[in-house]
Amino acid sequence: SSELTQDPAVSVALGQTVRITCQGDSLRSYYASWYQQKPGQAPVLVIYGKNNRPSGIPDRFSGSSSGNTASLTITGAQAEDEADYYCNSRDSSGNHRVVFGGGTKLTVL
Amino acid sequence: QVTLRESGPALVKPTQTLTLTCTFSGFSLSTSGMCVSWIRQPPGKALEWLALIDWDDDKYYSTSLKTRLTISKDTSKNQVVLTMTNMDPVDTATYYCARTNYDILTGYFHFDYWGQGTLVTVSS
């Protein structure tokens, strides 16, 4: 079982804003990162650190955190944003181990 | 330009040992804060982190799989190798290697570049 919990599925109307959340004790101490994965493709980093976007990631993607919950927000969702989204962080024991959330399937209606 | 590429057998038999190689370019695994991880994904399921090796040759493993995993690096060849013993059909998955950035100040990891993955099927 994952130490990071994500909703299995979320939907959003085209052009609207959606928030995908990730919960876990380790998030009180460590940042989460967020990855987008489309069918048949490798994951792509979309948010890391406090709220950093790698080059080439649209600015409609943003990250935030409060307590034990990290959030990925897509402001003005596009059809191409339909994908699986995974969060990851350090594990809650503080060892150099990494955990992933179970993933959230985002559907853009 | 950072690239990573996984290579290894597409099919292994139960109880056999799997050896996967990650060949990378565009960065040095000798640079402080630089690491390489292995991550897998069974068909239709979530990502699972397996192991990490850092610039100082320290190695870290998934708690549930640590008895079966060994990670090593050859800095001169820009390669990281993962071995997994006693393979089982439940180990059927796409195996990815990913460049891993470690922020020494915050203790934070993230995976900024991924290989395309290699599908490993475990079957007799």
Side-chain angles (χ1 to χ4, degrees):
Chain A
S1 63
S2 173
E3 296 180 34
L4 296 177
T5 302
Q6 297 181 241
D7 291 328
V10 171
S11 62
V12 61
L14 184 68
Q16 296 302 299
T17 296
V18 62
R19 177 174 291 182
I20 298 170
T21 61
C22 175
Q23 289 188 302
D25 286 342
S26 64
L27 300 178
R28 298 184 185 277
S29 304
Y30 302 108
Y31 294 123
S33 304
W34 291 93
Y35 305 84
Q36 177 193 70
Q37 187 180 34
K38 297 181 179 180
Q41 297 183 19
V44 172
L45 177 69
V46 295
I47 291 288
Y48 67 99
K50 190 172 184 180
N51 181 20
N52 300 303
R53 282 177 290 106
S55 174
I57 300 301
D59 61 5
R60 63 178 179 271
F61 289 88
S62 63
S64 61
S65 184
S66 178
N68 73 335
T69 302
S71 301
L72 173 70
T73 300
I74 307 174
T75 304
Q78 302 300 302
E80 61 264 31
D81 299 334
E82 185 163 295
D84 293 326
Y85 290 85
Y86 293 92
C87 62
N88 94 274
S89 186
R90 289 275 292 271
D91 78 359
S92 55
S93 69
N95 293 325
H96 279 54
R97 295 189 176 90
V98 176
V99 288
F100 281 96
T104 298
K105 168 65 178 174
L106 176 66
T107 300
V108 180
L109 303 172
Chain B
Q1 180 188 7
V2 173
T3 64
L4 302 100
R5 186 183 76 251
E6 305 89 351
S7 58
L11 179 66
V12 297
K13 290 180 166 48
T15 75
Q16 288 186 334
T17 293
L18 171 68
T19 299
L20 295 172
T21 300
C22 175
T23 303
F24 59 87
S25 64
F27 67 98
S28 172
L29 201 37
S30 300
T31 302
S32 181
M34 205 57 64
C35 318
V36 170
S37 295
W38 285 94
I39 297 149
R40 72 178 180 180
Q41 186 173 37
K45 296 189 177 181
L47 300 169
E48 179 184 19
W49 175 79
L50 300 177
L52 176 152
I53 190 164
D54 72 13
W55 69 98
D56 211 21
D57 206 34
D58 291 319
K59 301 152 188 173
Y60 305 96
Y61 299 99
S62 162
T63 302
S64 60
L65 292 168
K66 63 182 177 181
T67 61
R68 299 173 53 204
L69 296 172
T70 302
I71 192 170
S72 62
K73 66 182 173 82
D74 185 332
T75 305
S76 64
K77 292 183 178 179
N78 281 355
Q79 290 182 333
V80 171
V81 175
L82 180 77
T83 62
M84 180 180 291
T85 61
N86 195 24
M87 293 292 285
D88 183 273
V90 300
D91 296 313
T92 294
T94 296
Y95 287 75
Y96 296 99
C97 63
R99 190 177 86 161
T100 310
N101 271 281
Y102 176 62
D103 185 322
I104 295 171
L105 292 178
T106 64
Y108 165 71
F109 292 103
H110 67 273
F111 309 108
D112 57 354
Y113 291 91
W114 296 63
Q116 84 278 10
T118 185
L119 176 62
V120 178
T121 300
V122 185
S123 175
S124 55

